[in-house]
Amino acid sequence: VINSSVECENWTIGGLLGQLNNGKISGCSVESTTVKGYGAVAGIVGIALSSGERTIENCSVENTTIVQNGSFGGNYDNMFGAIVGALYSGTLTVNLNGCSVENTTIKDVVSTELCGFISEGDKLVVDGYEILAPGLGYNNTSKTYAVSSSEGLVAMSNTTIEGGESVILTADIDLTGVEFNGLNAFNPESKNTFNGQGHTVSNWTYTGGAADMAFIKNWVGTIKNVTINGASLKTNGRSAVLAAKVYANIENCHVVSSSIEDSYWACGVIAGLYNSGSITNCSVDNCYVQSNGGVGGIVGVINETAGKRNVERCIVTNTTVYNTGNYGEEYSGALVAGILNVANATINFNNCTLEN
């Protein structure tokens, strides 16, 4: 469908199909088209009904405008999506495989929202990930959560992460004006992995003053491949910009132009109370970190686990570490690690760089 206009003074209207009760849609596209209706309006299918499983694959919506030109009220006013307006059965699974959305406006907002409304009992599965909330999907085979938006990150923070599960970012995320209270997983018997996949989380502000606060609060396993940019936090002990209380290997993580002010101890930019693991290829640039003791540019306090541990190829530049000294000389501060608080441990600092 190209350069067209579809309008209905009712509901269930799509650029291609108004209502999908059965079958499969493959290889279709809607481009430079306007679709107008009261509810259940979308670029491809207005509404999917009936029980069972449907597939929409390799379909695209480009340069298209999806308009609400009347209202039924209630849930109907939420049923606007780029691919599907609504799943409205209670016993339905719709699989979207290889579908794409570009430069599409949904109710006056440029959006890539694939489906506007999913009724209880229905499932929308996008490239193998069941959509649990806007911007949050779960792949049951790989036990992986995929986060693609600030809404998804907030939903992830309210989700119980079981042992052996992973969390990945699939897009850069801007937290401007968003209330986010950190991710949390503590499963000592089964490790978890957080993988930012090279994406950046920007503009997180937290002023709640809680302890054990960070982008990742408690974690056992691996944290890797993420950048935190423009964070501003006020906390109360064992906190950090990236990871607060962790038993984890931290790899390829970076914090830029951020600050954290802590009113207790064990505060760092990368990690606060760092209980086991090694930190590799991490950097801190243009940051400010403050606490009453055990404060560091990379790690506040290296704690708990004896044996050999490494801090390797880490860089701290243009950063201020401020130890208020309220807890005395034993609670120190430094650009890399504030305190080594564990007996019978060998901490190797290899190829770390400090500038300005």
Side-chain angles (χ1 to χ4, degrees), residues 26 59 82 145-146 153 167 173 177 182 216 243 249 324 334-335:
S26 180
C59 292
Y145 291 93
L153 194 60
V167 178
I173 296 175
I216 295 174
N249 292 318
T324 65
L335 280 172

Side-chain angles (χ1 to χ4, degrees), residues 249-288:
N249 292 318
I250 302 177
E251 308 166 8
N252 301 315
C253 293
H254 312 283
V255 180
V256 182
S257 300
S258 298
S259 67
I260 177 167
E261 298 180 29
D262 191 271
S263 58
Y264 189 37
W265 83 306
C267 181
V269 178
I270 297 294
L273 196 63
Y274 190 55
N275 293 316
S276 72
S278 295
I279 300 177
T280 308
N281 293 328
C282 294
S283 69
V284 173
D285 180 49
N286 191 31
C287 291
Y288 177 86

Side-chain angles (χ1 to χ4, degrees), residues 79 185 224 266:
M79 295 180 180
K224 60 184 180 180

Side-chain angles (χ1 to χ4, degrees), residues 26-43:
S26 180
C28 297
S29 64
V30 174
E31 183 177 349
S32 301
T33 293
T34 299
V35 187
K36 297 182 179 181
Y38 285 17
V41 181

